[in-house]
Amino acid sequence: MRKVVLFCSAGMSTSALVRRMEDAAKEIGYEVSVEAHSVSDAARLGKDADVVLLGPQVRFNLDVVKKQLPDTPVDVIGMREYGTMNGAAVIAQVKALLGDE
């Protein structure tokens, strides 16, 4: 099972995307747990994640989070994918980052 942690401004706007990602993963048989939190908790809550994704509204934190989590893949969710809550596309991004194609 892969652990994905999403970070946004307060951890609330991403909760709908979490559900969409879990549904999309279930449809393709990809075992994943997804959590959403505030980006201020990245160093603490991202350390045991397999991959960390930032909401586009906090993309300016990318370099900081990468430094906080040097051994974890960190990327930004695309504006379109985030805006449309496209869970399948974000799961595809996770799989690509982890080499789980």
Side-chain angles (χ1 to χ4, degrees):
M1 167 133 358
R2 296 296 199 165
K3 181 175 180 179
V4 180
V5 182
L6 310 181
F7 292 106
C8 66
S9 295
M12 295 173 62
S13 62
T14 314
S15 61
L17 183 57
V18 167
R19 287 189 299 279
R20 297 269 180 102
M21 289 174 65
E22 290 172 338
D23 291 344
K26 187 175 181 179
E27 284 182 24
I28 61 171
Y30 187 63
E31 293 187 19
V32 65
S33 70
V34 185
E35 301 174 4
H37 302 283
S38 169
V39 72
S40 62
D41 292 324
R44 183 172 57 89
L45 298 175
K47 66 181 181 232
D48 62 343
D50 292 304
V51 67
V52 167
L53 296 175
L54 304 181
Q57 71 275 34
V58 295
R59 72 180 319 122
F60 61 89
N61 288 296
L62 181 61
D63 290 337
V64 171
V65 175
K66 281 185 173 185
K67 286 178 185 169
Q68 291 173 336
L69 305 169
D71 299 322
T72 304
V74 180
D75 202 3
V76 176
I77 300 167
M79 185 81 74
R80 181 180 314 245
E81 292 75 17
Y82 191 87
T84 59
M85 295 287 147
N86 188 337
V90 181
I91 287 295
Q93 181 180 5
V94 167
K95 290 177 72 178
L97 285 166
L98 293 173
D100 290 346
E101 296 296 329

